[in-house]
Amino acid sequence: MRENIIAANWKMNHRASELEQFFQQLLAGYKEREGVSVIVAPTAPYLARAVELASPAGIKIAAQNMHFEASGAFTGEISASMVRDTGARYVILGHSERRHVFGENDEMIARKVKAALENKLQPIFCIGELLEQREAGKTESVVTTQLNAVLTTLNAEEMLDVVVAYEPVWAIGTGKTATPAQAEEVHRLVRGIIRGHFGDEVAQRITIQYGGSVKPDNVDELMSAENIDGALVGGASLKAESFLRLINFNAG
Ligand code: PGA
């Protein structure tokens, strides 16, 4: 079956000492679960240290962003190969904060996904609609456009290395979680679009995470939905205790 992935997106939080403490606490309580992968995305300066701390336990590290070019005059940016050099094996791309705060568009995100794959980094490719788009009944068309911009540039083999994260923007950091039914409806649509491009076998193997105010008290229900295969978590991933609870979703 599909891999479930619980991922921590720390955003611009946690300095060196907090990272050390987080991993000390996480590793003290962490037990690997079959079929569940765990990823932590710290800020770029700490990627290599996070890899050192997390790898022995089988926890993977992700960057939160990267540039699509390989090198050159792009002050402040980091390339896919630089991310790969740190030992990180995943990269979050197209997060709503990148799209809406930093102006990334679908074309840039498609180039980033391609560059990540060329450098053997697995993209966690984020999509999701704004509140006004949902209220205007445009969720399906927004998500479809965002997905198609990337999927049309990939072949099936590349697609199998992509993790998709559906994050309705109105649910991110707001405490307003999508209901499992609302999320499942979009996840089903997403898998259907993937099926349309690459066929059913590929579609069934792709992990589709939900993100947006995932917390210890709603993770079990969300993860029970048929097409929700993981969570991309901001706020509730910052403390090891709460992140451990998310990793142990539906563990009884
Ligand atoms: P949140 O963030 O869990 O704090 O809503 C999720 C995300 O931005 O990935």
Side-chain angles (χ1 to χ4, degrees), residues 15 21 29 37 53 58 72 79 100 117 127 163 165 186 199 209 213 232 236 244 250:
R15 294 179 54 193
Q21 193 190 28
S37 295
L53 292 168
S79 71
H100 301 294
L117 291 166
I127 54 172
V163 176
V186 180
Q209 298 179 300
S213 298
L232 180 56
L244 275 170
N250 289 333

Side-chain angles (χ1 to χ4, degrees), residues 17-35:
S17 62
E18 293 159 316
L19 177 132
E20 298 290 328
Q21 193 190 28
F22 175 93
F23 277 105
Q24 198 177 43
Q25 293 171 353
L26 183 73
L27 298 177
Y30 177 63
K31 275 197 226 65
E32 264 188 83
R33 297 182 67 185
E34 200 174 326

Side-chain angles (χ1 to χ4, degrees), residues 47 63 65-72 74 76-86 91 115-116 119 121:
L47 285 171
N65 183 31
M66 48 159 253
H67 194 55
F68 46 79
E69 293 288 356
S71 65
F74 302 102
E77 296 291 336
I78 56 177
S79 71
S81 59
M82 291 168 188
V83 172
R84 175 131 185 124
D85 280 345
T86 69
V91 57
N119 286 278
L121 291 175

Side-chain angles (χ1 to χ4, degrees), residues 2-20:
R2 294 190 277 278
E3 184 187 21
N4 285 293
I5 303 178
I6 306 294
N9 172 15
W10 283 356
K11 313 190 178 186
M12 200 169 73
N13 295 295
H14 278 354
R15 294 179 54 193
S17 62
E18 293 159 316
L19 177 132
E20 298 290 328

Side-chain angles (χ1 to χ4, degrees), residues 141-209:
S141 70
V142 169
V143 164
T144 304
T145 303
Q146 291 173 338
L147 270 174
N148 282 340
V150 168
L151 268 46
T152 50
T153 71
L154 304 180
N155 61 38
E157 199 185 323
E158 290 170 322
M159 187 63 209
L160 286 168
D161 281 330
V162 175
V163 176
V164 177
Y166 168 58
E167 298 203 304
V169 181
W170 48 272
I172 296 179
T174 58
K176 262 205 245 167
T177 321
T179 63
Q182 281 174 321
E184 172 66 13
E185 189 186 0
V186 180
H187 281 233
R188 198 188 301 262
L189 167 77
V190 170
R191 203 176 304 285
I193 293 169
I194 298 170
R195 183 178 298 117
H197 284 272
F198 304 106
D200 191 53
E201 204 196 309
V202 172
Q204 289 302 337
R205 283 167 62 187
I206 301 295
T207 297
I208 307 176
Q209 298 179 300

